[in-house]
Structures are given as C-alpha cells and as structure tokens.
Amino acid sequence: QRPCVAENNAGITNFATPEEIDENCISNFITDLGMRAFRRPLTPEEHALFMTTYNEVGEKYAAEGLDSGALFKRAVRNVVANILLSPEFIYRVELGDENGNLTAYELASRLSYHFWNTMPDDELFAAAADESLLTEVGYQAQVERLADDPKAERAIDEFYRDFFRVQDITNPFTQDGPHARYH
C-alpha cells in the first residue's frame, strides 16, 4: 500500500482519495500477480472476481472490528489465497485457441517448463504478448535462447536422471564381484 501512496504523493498517479489509491493499487497488484501465477494475462472476469474478493472483506469481517490497515492486509491475503488456490495456478491449463492450437502464452509456458522447469521470464512473456512467439523466426529465437541458458542444463540433466534412473545403476566394474576385470 505504501508504494502506491508514495507514487500518488510524487504525482506519478493522481487519485483524490485514499480509497481510490488503494483500489488502483490492488487492481495493479491483481493484474501483476495474476499474470505470474496464471502465466498469462487475467481475463476481465477473473480480474473482477479477485477485485470482488478484495472489496468484500469489509462486510465479511465487520464483526471483527478491524481497523482499515488490518482490513487491507486481510483483503490482500484473501486475494493472494484465491489466486494461489485457483486451478490455473496449480495446473498448467492449456485450452488452446478456437482451432485447437496453443495460444502464445500456453506455448511460452510449455517452452519454459520444458527447458527451465519454471514459469516464463519477462522476455518470453513479451514474445507471447506481441505474438512473435507464434512465428517461425520468433519461436526459433526463443527455443535457442532458452536452450542456451544455464538453467536448461539443470532441467535436461534432471530429465535424463529421472528417465534413465542412472543413479540406480551399480558400478559396472564391481557388479560381477571385486575380482572381475574389464578391458
């Protein structure tokens, strides 16, 4: 909440009341957290649902007699909990477009988790946002960038360890007994 007030005091934003500052602040927070958590922009309906979660706190917790600071914290906590308990956060949902093809954001997630075992970075999100990821040149550039990153080595190593279970292979030089010799 404080950075939003500081921005308003510095003239970066221009809201007349503390309530307007809070409303804008939480809206931006929901947009940013939603993008990261769902690995795509929130739909207007999803954003409205999380805003409703934020706005309902006053009436839901009225009996507790919380001050405005405590209500704000409770509201943010509820928004974060609802986002992090959503199936779109817990699972990588791929619905595709009307033709059954992955959307740019779904493709970005698939590539990122394939190479890095984590969510897309800002550059991959940008390629999804401008849909350059859906072009042959843009796709190839991102695949090369992701594969060349040191994070890819860890994910590829992990894949082969799990797939081939190399850690379970005994030492071939001692499996026939201590006196076996291999040339």
Side-chain angles (χ1 to χ4, degrees):
Q1 184 178 18
R2 295 198 192 290
C4 296
V5 172
E7 286 178 358
N8 205 64
N9 292 343
I12 297 170
T13 58
N14 189 24
F15 296 102
T17 67
E19 292 77 24
E20 288 176 349
I21 294 171
D22 288 350
E23 187 86 11
N24 180 68
C25 191
I26 197 66
S27 177
N28 290 339
F29 173 76
I30 288 170
T31 298
D32 294 344
L33 179 61
M35 175 71 173
R36 298 282 177 201
F38 290 10
R39 296 161 301 277
R40 61 167 173 75
L42 294 175
T43 65
E45 294 81 17
E46 290 165 336
H47 189 276
L49 174 69
F50 297 127
M51 284 300 295
T52 299
T53 299
Y54 172 79
N55 289 321
E56 287 178 343
V57 164
E59 72 183 57
K60 286 190 175 190
Y61 298 99
E64 293 185 28
L66 301 172
D67 66 19
S68 64
L71 279 174
F72 179 78
K73 288 176 185 175
R74 180 75 53 95
V76 171
R77 182 198 72 181
N78 288 359
V79 167
V80 170
N82 281 331
I83 289 174
L84 298 183
L85 291 172
S86 297
E88 289 81 1
F89 170 70
I90 297 171
Y91 305 105
R92 284 185 315 188
V93 177
E94 293 179 350
L95 301 175
D97 62 14
E98 59 277 352
N99 297 320
N101 299 317
L102 291 176
T103 67
Y105 287 99
E106 291 167 343
L107 183 57
S109 276
R110 187 176 281 191
L111 285 174
S112 184
Y113 280 95
H114 176 76
F115 285 105
W116 293 348
N117 282 340
T118 191
M119 64 181 280
D121 64 355
D122 290 338
E123 189 173 335
L124 198 49
F125 273 139
D130 68 14
E131 296 194 346
S132 64
L133 185 58
L134 297 178
T135 68
E136 188 66 34
V137 171
Y139 177 81
Q140 188 63 38
Q142 289 300 322
V143 166
E144 288 174 12
R145 182 180 74 83
L146 295 170
D148 288 342
D149 191 285
K151 290 186 277 189
E153 186 176 322
R154 184 181 69 236
I156 291 167
D157 182 58
E158 188 176 296
F159 169 79
Y160 282 108
R161 281 181 191 272
D162 290 346
F163 188 76
F164 292 112
R165 303 180 82 189
V166 236
Q167 68 276 10
D168 296 339
I169 298 174
T170 59
N171 184 339
F173 298 108
T174 61
Q175 66 185 6
D176 290 333
H179 303 293
R181 303 199 100 189
Y182 294 92
H183 299 284

